[in-house]
């Protein structure tokens, strides 16, 4: 797999997480905060699981305060897709408040004034080649950052994303995954930008499931983080069961684990493009395995994962949080 981050790597990979928290987003952010292999430079907020980005930013601040990391900046970004109006249905899976409708304390932490796209550009300009953009929501903020700074693909280290579905059906419709479907035009700009992309699509994220006994084991760790994860997943796992799944997928954490433990994954290089027009296929991520588009592969597509080791790592890291 590309860009192996070997366990003995001395320095953590510096990351900005672009997120729509979100139950599985919050789980992924907590994993990042508990993992010495990454250094979280900031959280940037994008619509997706809700279009109330102030609420999503509040959720991000809640998670940072829960982990006792209030120093990490939160920058608020796009509340709408680039072209078409927001049509997401995140509340049916993440709850109206984005955190499984549990009571949420008002955090003392507030977002910074700087908009997300500017925050991303300024951080990458200040630390050329050092910052990895980790996207676990629609790609609108990244597209806006590319418009601000066309050199971004050369200023960022790489892009690691949760989104898309190349070899498996979509979750919004037969071909499209939610993060890409929420803004296909943004996704197309990102896939054409010229940077190396690691893609944790549904191809791999649906292979990591968490059931109630596992979530109870997080609750029984006895720390606030484990209890919080158990509490916010009550609504989320119920939503999965109502859709015929016995347990839940934790999509966003796969993007982070692919940085923390790349050796847990199987992947293949492929050229990926995004459908933005098709009545039935808008938001589809298409894998060009035979070079028919005439462009070299820009994407390391994650295809399989050691799910047992993933869950063991996840619990081990959450146990280290307050
Ligand atoms: O399709 C899964 C993605 O959509 C995840 O990022 C989840 O948080 C939702 O945003
Ligand atoms: Ca998300």
């Amino acid at each position: 797999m590309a860009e192996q981050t070997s366990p003995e790597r001395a320095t953590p990979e510096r990351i900005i997480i672009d997120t729509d928290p979100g139950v599985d987003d919050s789980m992924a952010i907590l994993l990042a905060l508990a993992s010495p292999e990454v250094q979280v430079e900031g959280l940037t907020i994008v619509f997706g699981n809700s279009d109330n980005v102030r609420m999503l930013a509040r959720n991000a601040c809640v998670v940072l305060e829960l982990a006792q990391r209030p120093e990490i900046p939160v920058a608020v970004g796009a509340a709408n897709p680039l072209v078409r109006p927001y049509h997401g249905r995140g509340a049916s899976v993440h709850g109206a408040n984005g955190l499984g409708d549990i009571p949420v304390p008002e955090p003392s932490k507030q977002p910074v004034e700087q908009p997300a796209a500017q925050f991303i550009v300024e951080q990458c300009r200040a630390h050329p080649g050092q910052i990895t953009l980790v996207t676990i929501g629609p790609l609108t903020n990244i597209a806006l950052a590319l418009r601000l700074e066309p050199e971004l693909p050369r200023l960022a280290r790489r892009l690691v994303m949760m989104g898309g579905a190349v070899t498996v059906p979509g979750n919004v419709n037969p071909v499209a995954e939610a993060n890409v479907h929420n803004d296909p035009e943004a996704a197309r700009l990102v896939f054409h930008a010229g940077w190396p992309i690691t893609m944790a699509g549904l191809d791999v994220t649906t292979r990591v499931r968490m059931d109630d006994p596992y979530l109870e084991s997080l609750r029984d760790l006895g720390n606030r983080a484990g209890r919080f994860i158990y509490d916010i997943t009550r609504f989320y796992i119920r939503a999965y069961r109502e859709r015929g799944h016995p347990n839940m997928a934790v999509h966003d954490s796969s993007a982070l684990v692919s940085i923390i433990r790349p050796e847990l994954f199987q992947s293949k290089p492929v050229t990926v493009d995004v459908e933005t027009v098709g009545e039935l296929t808008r938001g589809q991520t298409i894998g060009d395995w035979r070079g028919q588009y005439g462009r070299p592969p820009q994407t390391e597509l994650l295809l399989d994962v050691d799910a047992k080791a993933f869950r063991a790592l996840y619990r081990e890291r959450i146990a280290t949080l307050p």
Side-chain angles (χ1 to χ4, degrees):
M1 192 189 129
E3 176 94 31
Q4 291 291 342
T5 53
S6 56
E8 64 276 2
R9 189 192 61 208
T11 54
E13 186 158 347
R14 301 174 69 172
I15 65 173
I16 291 173
I17 303 175
D18 192 66
T19 174
D20 57 338
V23 170
D24 63 323
D25 299 70
S26 301
M27 295 175 71
I29 293 164
L30 288 169
L31 172 65
L33 298 174
S35 297
E37 297 85 353
V38 293
Q39 178 178 310
V40 181
E41 302 290 349
L43 302 181
T44 50
I45 305 302
V46 64
F47 77 93
N49 290 322
S50 168
D51 61 348
N52 181 342
V53 286
R54 300 306 300 186
M55 179 187 78
L56 298 179
R58 187 275 319 265
N59 293 348
C61 292
V62 165
V63 172
L64 290 172
E65 288 192 343
L66 177 77
Q68 296 177 7
R69 299 295 300 283
E71 81 283 1
I72 295 175
V74 173
V76 182
N80 290 291
L82 291 184
V83 176
R84 300 195 192 185
Y86 172 72
H87 58 270
R89 300 189 299 273
S92 64
V93 177
H94 296 263
N97 75 356
L99 291 177
D101 283 344
I102 67 166
V104 178
E106 267 316 300
S108 51
K109 178 178 174 59
Q110 291 299 313
V112 298
E113 286 300 313
Q114 192 174 44
Q118 282 180 18
F119 178 84
I120 290 167
V121 168
E122 293 203 3
Q123 290 297 314
C124 291
R125 280 177 180 156
H127 309 287
Q130 298 179 45
I131 293 185
T132 293
L133 303 180
V134 181
T135 68
I136 53 177
L139 290 160
T140 313
N141 287 339
I142 310 303
L144 293 172
L146 283 167
R147 279 185 184 162
L148 275 179
E149 176 51 88
E151 284 306 301
L152 191 62
R154 282 150 296 283
L155 290 171
R157 175 172 174 172
R158 62 178 175 137
L159 186 132
V160 178
M161 65 179 283
M162 188 280 131
V166 173
T167 64
V168 297
N171 55 4
V172 174
N173 62 41
V175 295
E177 175 279 330
N179 286 338
V180 174
H181 188 259
N182 264 323
D183 197 340
E185 285 79 10
R188 188 149 211 258
L189 285 169
V190 168
F191 277 102
H192 281 251
W195 37 23
I197 297 172
T198 298
M199 179 175 166
L202 299 180
D203 315 81
V204 74
T205 66
T206 53
R207 292 169 177 259
V208 181
R209 300 279 172 169
M210 291 184 180
D211 58 16
D212 261 336
Y214 178 83
L215 295 164
E216 286 158 8
S217 76
L218 299 184
R219 177 198 61 195
D220 298 344
L221 288 170
N223 59 355
R224 291 172 58 208
R227 177 81 236 188
F228 177 77
I229 291 167
Y230 179 79
D231 290 345
I232 65 172
T233 53
R234 299 304 86 212
F235 187 103
Y236 186 83
I237 197 167
R238 202 163 47 243
Y240 269 80
R241 289 196 180 120
E242 285 164 3
R243 290 160 175 79
H245 304 284
N247 45 46
M248 58 183 242
V250 280
H251 303 288
D252 293 334
S253 289
S254 283
L256 276 300
V257 176
S258 80
I259 300 171
I260 296 163
R261 284 285 182 278
E263 67 274 14
L264 297 186
F265 294 85
Q266 305 296 320
S267 65
K268 281 188 182 163
V270 64
T271 302
V272 173
D273 209 333
V274 184
E275 175 57 58
T276 59
V277 175
E279 187 183 344
L280 298 178
T281 54
R282 175 174 157 76
Q284 182 175 6
T285 43
I286 297 144
D288 171 21
W289 298 99
R290 296 166 57 192
Q292 291 167 296
Y293 290 153
R295 296 193 300 272
Q298 84 280 53
T299 302
E300 193 68 24
L301 179 66
L302 305 183
L303 291 164
D304 201 359
V305 60
D306 180 343
K308 189 165 180 283
F310 183 118
R311 285 188 292 269
L313 172 76
Y314 190 83
R315 179 164 47 220
E316 170 201 307
R317 294 297 165 88
I318 297 301
T320 67
L321 289 170

